[in-house]
Structure formats: C-alpha cells, structure tokens
Amino acid sequence: VEFKENNLPIVIEAQKLSYNDSEKVAIYTGNVIAQRGNTVMKGDKLTVYFDKTGKFIEKIEVTGNVYIEDPRGKGWCDKLTYYPVQEKLVLEGNAKLQQDKNTVLGDRIVAYKEGRILVEGIKQKVKTVIYPEGKVGESFRP
Amino acid sequence: MKEAIYKIAAFLAIVSILPFVIFMARRESPPEKFHVETHKKQLIKNFTLESKGEKRSWVLRAPEAVFEGNKEIILKFPELELLEKERVLIHAESAIYNQETEELFLENVSIESENLSGKTRTGTYSTSKGVFVTHDTCEVTLKNRFTVEGKECILDLKNKRVIIQSKVKSILREEGK
C-alpha cells in the first residue's frame, strides 16, 4: 500500500460530515471515499482523530464494507485503521489482502511502513495462497 | 265609508314614511372598526443592538439600519460579534433581524473565529440557540488546514461543531508535512 507520498493531502468525499472541534474528531458517513495519492479507502463510515492541537492526524478508522486499493494490491476487512505518523495499516475482522492472484487471509493483518506484513489468526487460522509464477519476493509497503 | 277611507290613507302615510325612518336610524350607527396596518419606517445610522441579560453574549452592529414595522430590522453590511468562549465575527452584505424570533437572515456571509473560517451565500443565525444554518453550499476551513465544503451546513458555534448534511468534500493537509 503506497503511503510514501504522505505529504499529499487526504481528500475525503461522503454524504455527511460531523466535526467536533472540542474533541478534534471528524465523522464522515454515507459512501465514504478517501484518497491519498494512489491509495483509495472506501467504507460506510470514516472517522478522523486529530491530535490535541488539531494539526496532525492521529489515526483514521474505516468501518462497514471496507475496501482499500493501491497500484500493488487490494484489501478487505470489517475495520481498517490507518496510522499516518507510523505509516501503518491495520485490517481487522475477515481481513484479506490480495496482490495479483496471491492472497493472504486472517483475523488481523498489520502492514508496516517498510513492507513487512503480520498476519494473525485469532478465530480462524491464517491462510495464504501463493501462485508460483507470482512474484513471491514482492510485498506490500505502506 | 268616509272613516274607512281615512284609516286607509293614514295607514298608507305611515307605511310610506317607515323606510325613511329606518334609513335615517341606520345611518347614525358608527362605522365598523377595522385595522389599517401602518408601517413605521425609521432609518438609524451606526446602529448597535446587544443581547439582553447580565452577560453580554452578542453585539449586532451596522452602519445603517431600517426598522420595518415593529418586528424586523433591515441592516446594511452588518457585523455580528459573538462573545462566547471563543470570539466569532459574522459579516454579511445585508441582513434582516427578526426581533420576535431572534433570528438574523444574512446574505453573502463570512464567518471568522480563531479556529474556523467559513463562507456561504445565505444563511440564518439564531441568537438564542447560537447556531448558524444554511441550505446553500458552504465552505469551512479549520485552523488545522482541514477544508470542507458541502450543502445544508450547520455551524453550532457555541459547541464548536460543524455538520454538513450532503455532498461533502474535504481536504486534509497535515501541518509541516
């Protein structure tokens, strides 16, 4: 997942927005689409948590029909959390990442900045499907 | 026979006078009262209006104000200063303040506070609720470089909340990145 250009702005479109400046939280609902560079996140609800100063994004949470895509892969899960500072992505609940035909499934998938991926099986076992001709060495790098 | 004729003549005489008497009697009753609305127009220069109560929570100023009837005040280039936790200034090209509903209808509006700036074509601010509502497209920029636009916007200035109810598009730029 390509988040390297993180000085790019995040553009979010939705049906409705509720922003609370006291709590520094913005809640988007209704066909939410968030885009930063080549990375697109979609879901029913997206919540942005700013830090106390309101200048930095602490985390972004997406729930409901979650889908994430970038030029190298796609992902689905029940809940997606993105930490811009650490450039880390956490997919929770029926998490699935797919790169070309190769797929990895688990209860929780964490994709780190340097491309490392951690897959955890809590309720279900981790499952990986790799097609030999696929480029095994290539992995996701947020 | 003479007597009967005399009686008939007297009766006819009385009957003929009766309509005249009724007409005369009717005319004397006073005309029906009905309300004619009178419009008092009063032009005031350097107009200022403040919120009631001990603690002043807002001040409305305008270089020119016209009192229309006893409810509405028409203002040119008004400025509404809110003195809640955070000072907010609302400017417009024109506005109408309804003293009964305590609502200010503004045109070509801009809103400015330490943390927020916004603009829209028309909107209504309720001085009692401390809420600004517009059905037009509005654009709001928050200090943290968070710009958002959309339609049907509600700015709850007292509780520092922004609600946009349709066609939301926002751009989040992080500081220093």
Side-chain angles (χ1 to χ4, degrees), chain A residues 45-62:
Chain A
K45 176 179 176 185
L46 183 145
T47 308
V48 181
Y49 297 87
F50 293 93
D51 72 329
K52 276 193 226 79
T53 67
K55 291 177 183 161
F56 296 102
I57 299 169
E58 278 187 345
K59 66 177 179 178
I60 294 177
E61 266 179 15
V62 187

Side-chain angles (χ1 to χ4, degrees), chain B residues 143-158:
Chain B
K143 181 184 83 174
N144 52 11
R145 298 144 53 96
F146 169 24
T147 307
V148 62
E149 65 180 47
K151 284 195 93 162
E152 318 273 341
C153 315
I154 300 171
L155 269 63
D156 181 348
L157 296 166
K158 265 184 186 172

Side-chain angles (χ1 to χ4, degrees), chain B:
Chain B
M1 179 56 179
K2 245 188 197 172
E3 212 172 300
I5 293 166
Y6 175 74
K7 274 182 184 173
I8 293 165
F11 173 71
L12 287 175
I14 291 163
V15 165
S16 64
I17 293 169
L18 207 59
F20 178 69
V21 168
I22 291 168
F23 177 71
M24 288 302 289
R26 210 170 56 73
R27 218 165 53 75
E28 265 130 39
S29 65
E32 211 178 301
K33 260 197 186 149
F34 53 91
H35 178 70
V36 175
E37 196 150 313
T38 54
H39 282 280
K40 295 181 286 182
K41 272 212 170 171
Q42 207 182 350
L43 173 71
I44 292 181
K45 298 273 184 185
N46 300 322
F47 167 83
T48 301
L49 179 67
E50 290 183 2
S51 57
K52 302 173 189 112
E54 283 147 34
K55 189 169 167 277
R56 206 173 58 148
S57 58
W58 56 264
V59 178
L60 177 58
R61 302 182 189 89
E64 223 178 82
V66 174
F67 277 69
E68 184 80 34
N70 45 21
K71 263 194 312 186
E72 289 187 342
I73 309 170
I74 298 168
L75 306 152
K76 269 206 178 132
F77 303 108
E79 173 190 270
L80 177 65
E81 181 180 8
L82 309 179
L83 305 160
E84 298 290 346
K85 293 169 218 152
E86 193 181 271
R87 181 170 174 264
V88 179
L89 282 174
I90 301 178
H91 289 105
E93 252 176 46
S94 63
I96 299 174
Y97 183 62
N98 187 311
Q99 298 184 80
E100 242 173 48
T101 60
E102 295 183 305
E103 286 185 342
L104 186 65
F105 174 75
L106 304 122
E107 289 185 313
N108 293 323
V109 198
S110 71
I111 298 175
E112 206 71 41
S113 80
E114 193 214 337
N115 276 316
L116 169 147
S117 67
K119 57 183 180 190
T120 184
R121 206 172 56 79
T122 65
T124 301
Y125 180 77
S126 161
T127 53
S128 52
K129 295 182 194 126
V131 173
F132 176 83
V133 177
T134 174
H135 298 293
D136 285 317
T137 298
C138 73
E139 189 184 309
V140 178
T141 301
L142 290 143
K143 181 184 83 174
N144 52 11
R145 298 144 53 96
F146 169 24
T147 307
V148 62
E149 65 180 47
K151 284 195 93 162
E152 318 273 341
C153 315
I154 300 171
L155 269 63
D156 181 348
L157 296 166
K158 265 184 186 172
N159 302 306
K160 297 169 85 173
R161 283 165 55 99
V162 176
I163 295 168
I164 297 182
Q165 309 192 77
S166 72
K167 296 189 177 129
V168 175
K169 177 168 185 179
S170 68
I171 299 172
L172 280 66
R173 279 190 192 79
E174 287 198 275
E175 176 101 1
K177 276 206 173 167

Side-chain angles (χ1 to χ4, degrees), chain A residues 23-119:
Chain A
E23 292 165 12
K24 303 286 191 247
V25 172
I27 301 172
Y28 296 82
T29 51
N31 299 324
V32 185
I33 301 172
Q35 180 152 5
R36 171 181 256 176
N38 294 318
T39 300
V40 177
M41 291 187 272
K42 294 181 182 176
D44 300 336
K45 176 179 176 185
L46 183 145
T47 308
V48 181
Y49 297 87
F50 293 93
D51 72 329
K52 276 193 226 79
T53 67
K55 291 177 183 161
F56 296 102
I57 299 169
E58 278 187 345
K59 66 177 179 178
I60 294 177
E61 266 179 15
V62 187
T63 54
N65 299 302
V66 180
Y67 170 75
I68 180 165
E69 180 177 358
D70 101 336
R72 271 174 290 183
K74 299 173 185 167
W76 297 263
C77 60
D78 297 338
K79 177 180 160 189
L80 169 73
T81 310
Y82 165 55
Y83 300 90
V85 176
Q86 305 107 307
E87 290 172 36
K88 178 173 88 172
L89 259 178
V90 179
L91 291 80
E92 293 169 295
N94 303 306
K96 173 180 171 183
L97 278 185
Q98 182 177 316
Q99 186 184 58
D100 302 328
K101 289 188 287 183
N102 304 326
T103 310
V104 62
L105 298 105
D107 289 319
R108 186 167 185 270
I109 300 177
V110 184
Y112 293 91
K113 175 173 155 182
E114 63 278 7
R116 193 163 48 93
I117 290 185
L118 169 70
V119 187

